[in-house]
Amino acid sequence: MLRRLLQPVWVLLAIIFLIEAWLWDHLEPIVARVVAFIPLARFKQGLTDRVDALSPAMTLIVFAVPIIPLFPLKLVGLWLLTHEYWTSAVFTILFAKLLGVGVTAFVFDVTRDKLMEMTWFERLYDLVMKLRAKAAELVNPIKRRVRELIAGNGEGWSSRTLRLIQRFRKSVHEAR
C-alpha cells in the first residue's frame, strides 16, 4: 500500500533528476562554445593548470565555490516571487538555475580527474550515474506512453479519446 502511494513521488523525483541531467548534458556543450567564443580558453587552461597543482581536497573546494555566488540570485528570485513579480521571479530563478548548471558543468569538466582521485567522490559519482540510469528506467515507460498519447495512433483508451476530441474539433470547425 505504501509503495503504491509513494510511486508518484518517486516518479516526480526521477523526472526532476532527469531534467537536471538533461540540463547538465545540454548546457555543457553550450558553455564550451561560450568558452571558445569568449577568450576564456586561456582562463580554462590556467584553471586546469592550477587545479593540477592542487590536492584533491582543495579541488573539491574549487568545484564547490562557483555555486556560492548564485545563492543570493536565487534568494532575489524568491523575494520577487513573494512580492508577486511572477515573470521576473520565474526568469530570475530559471537564469540562476541554468547559469548554475552551466558553470558547474564547466568547473566539473576541469576538475573531474582530480576529484576522481578521492575514492568517496568516485563512489558518489558512480552512485549518481546509477541513480540517473534508474530514473531513466522509471520514467521511460511514462515518456513512451505520453508519446503514444500525443501521436494518437495507438489502440488504448487515450488514443481513442484523442481521436474523439479531434473529430469533435473538426465538426465544430465545419459547423462554423
Side-chain angles (χ1 to χ4, degrees):
M1 168 91 174
L2 183 62
R3 181 183 169 121
R4 187 176 184 133
L5 290 174
L6 288 177
Q7 183 69 20
V9 174
W10 287 117
V11 169
L12 180 64
L13 287 174
I15 290 170
I16 291 169
F17 188 76
L18 289 175
I19 289 170
E20 289 281 333
W22 184 86
L23 282 172
W24 183 283
D25 291 343
H26 288 81
L27 285 177
E28 189 174 23
I30 293 170
V31 170
R33 277 189 240 139
V34 169
V35 169
F37 181 70
I38 301 173
L40 288 177
R42 278 193 327 207
F43 173 73
K44 184 176 181 181
Q45 186 58 47
L47 185 61
T48 304
D49 294 341
R50 289 190 178 166
V51 164
D52 289 342
L54 294 175
S55 68
M58 291 303 290
T59 305
L60 184 62
I61 293 171
V62 171
F63 175 64
V65 165
I67 297 167
I68 295 169
L70 294 173
F71 186 70
L73 188 59
K74 291 179 182 180
L75 289 178
V76 168
L78 288 175
W79 182 87
L80 289 169
L81 198 60
T82 59
H83 288 82
E84 298 180 5
Y85 296 107
W86 307 111
T87 307
S88 299
V90 168
F91 283 124
T92 303
I93 293 170
L94 283 176
F95 175 73
K97 184 68 183 164
L98 293 174
L99 184 64
V101 171
V103 168
T104 305
F106 171 74
V107 174
F108 184 70
D109 185 44
V110 171
T111 60
R112 176 184 291 138
D113 296 335
K114 230 11 162 176
L115 291 172
M116 292 299 176
E117 291 178 14
M118 295 184 285
T119 54
W120 69 267
F121 190 88
E122 187 175 11
R123 280 192 222 130
L124 180 65
Y125 180 78
D126 291 340
L127 175 68
V128 169
M129 290 298 109
K130 287 177 185 172
L131 286 174
R132 183 177 176 178
K134 181 72 174 169
E137 180 183 314
L138 183 64
V139 171
N140 280 341
I142 296 168
K143 283 173 40 179
R144 187 172 41 256
R145 184 76 176 124
V146 168
R147 285 187 184 123
E148 288 173 3
L149 176 68
I150 290 171
N153 55 6
E155 291 302 320
W157 68 269
S158 58
S159 299
R160 289 190 302 270
T161 304
L162 187 59
R163 284 194 298 270
L164 179 66
I165 291 170
Q166 288 171 342
R167 280 196 306 260
F168 178 71
R169 288 185 71 211
K170 185 178 178 183
S171 67
V172 167
H173 284 287
E174 288 174 354
R176 288 183 184 174

